[in-house]
Amino acid sequence: MSATSPGTTKRSLGSWLRERSELGVGVLLFVLGVLVLTDALTLDADFAGRGPVGPATVPLVVGCGLVVVAVLLSVDVLRGGRGEAEAGEDVDLTEPADWRTVLLLAGVFLGFAVLIGPVGFPVAGALLFWGAAYVLGSRHLHRDPLIAAALSLLTYVVFDMLLGVPLPGGPLMGVI
């Protein structure tokens, strides 16, 4: 027989965790920080070849920052701190997620990943931009593909030619 006073109720672990869902973010940040720190500490770099500031410096700072933020967030949540409800957008948080849109967007990204090799970034990027716009509700069937093609070509030119980040050109490699 449980000994509960009249004013208290037994709460399950699930409801306790639901009320402190921000702890999940803290755990995620902590795990990510530990992964970054582990990776940074296993970098093999010769001191003479790299100088006093090596390739592990920035990952070490970022990893330590992630761990510190995770601990501070978790302590705040356990002390009763709560994140503010979403007020920046007109979103009804009581409505369920639109999984159809999420799955269609995932399909568009998967299609981009599959097509970038055979057809190149300009074509795959245009399909990515147009597909994402269509899935998110844009129905301008003449304007959207043109904007997507222009945006994809601009992105290709900026990354491949101006920044020197090689992107697969596909069949358009000789044309651009």
Side-chain angles (χ1 to χ4, degrees), residues 3-172:
T4 58
S5 61
T8 61
T9 59
K10 263 186 145 174
R11 292 185 1 208
S12 69
L13 178 63
S15 67
W16 185 86
L17 286 174
R18 246 184 260 101
E19 292 172 2
R20 290 162 185 83
S21 60
E22 292 95 344
L23 286 175
V25 176
V27 169
L28 178 69
L29 290 175
F30 186 81
V31 168
L32 194 61
V34 168
L35 285 173
V36 170
L37 286 172
T38 304
D39 201 34
L41 293 173
T42 59
L43 285 175
D44 186 30
D46 181 14
F47 180 77
R50 65 175 168 84
V53 177
T57 304
V58 172
L60 284 172
V61 170
V62 169
C64 288
L66 285 169
V67 169
V68 167
V69 167
V71 169
L72 291 175
L73 174 64
S74 298
V75 167
D76 180 53
V77 170
L78 292 173
R79 287 184 173 173
R82 301 278 305 169
E84 289 186 27
E86 179 65 44
E89 296 182 31
D90 187 19
V91 176
D92 186 3
L93 297 175
T94 61
E95 289 293 317
D98 183 7
W99 288 108
R100 179 183 180 273
T101 301
V102 171
L103 292 174
L104 286 172
L105 277 175
V108 168
F109 283 114
L110 182 63
F112 171 74
V114 168
L115 290 175
I116 193 168
V119 300
F121 182 85
V123 174
L127 292 172
L128 169 74
F129 295 138
W130 175 77
Y134 187 83
V135 167
L136 292 173
S138 181
R139 297 295 184 258
H140 298 279
L141 298 179
H142 299 292
R143 182 187 69 186
D144 289 347
L146 294 175
I147 292 173
L151 186 59
S152 181
L153 285 173
L154 178 68
T155 304
Y156 177 78
V157 168
V158 167
F159 276 87
D160 194 66
M161 297 180 180
L162 298 178
L163 296 175
V165 177
L167 294 174
L172 296 178

